[in-house]
Amino acid sequence: MDLVKKFFPVSTRSSELVGLIISLVIYIVLPTVFGWVVSLLSGIPLIGWLLGVIAGLIGLYCFIGIIISVLIFFKVIK
């Protein structure tokens, strides 16, 4: 659980419904905003490619964060 608190601090606050909603909104808005930035800079070959890789990693991080938030809310992870 210490690694979860260290790497996903927003997810650990989702033990109540309000915390779950806030963490889900953060994990949905973050990759969306970063995706817009990537789409604006995608015309530059090297920077667009690098930002695309970073966007993929951020998307994966947010997906895992959503799963952890839901598991903490339903008390599967304590």
Side-chain angles (χ1 to χ4, degrees):
M1 187 65 179
D2 291 332
L3 282 175
V4 172
K5 287 182 182 178
K6 183 178 179 181
F7 290 111
F8 298 97
V10 177
S11 296
T12 57
R13 299 182 184 148
S14 64
S15 60
E16 299 175 357
L17 183 62
V18 174
L20 176 68
I21 292 171
I22 290 172
S23 66
L24 291 178
V25 167
I26 290 172
Y27 284 134
I28 290 171
V29 169
L30 182 68
T32 304
V33 170
F34 199 76
W36 288 341
V37 172
V38 169
S39 68
L40 290 174
L41 297 174
S42 65
I44 305 170
L46 184 60
I47 294 175
W49 179 82
L50 182 63
L51 287 177
V53 170
I54 294 172
L57 292 174
I58 288 175
L60 180 64
Y61 173 81
C62 290
F63 179 70
I64 294 170
I66 288 171
I67 291 172
I68 290 173
S69 294
V70 170
L71 290 176
I72 288 175
F73 179 74
F74 287 118
K75 296 183 179 22
V76 174
I77 299 176
K78 294 181 181 186

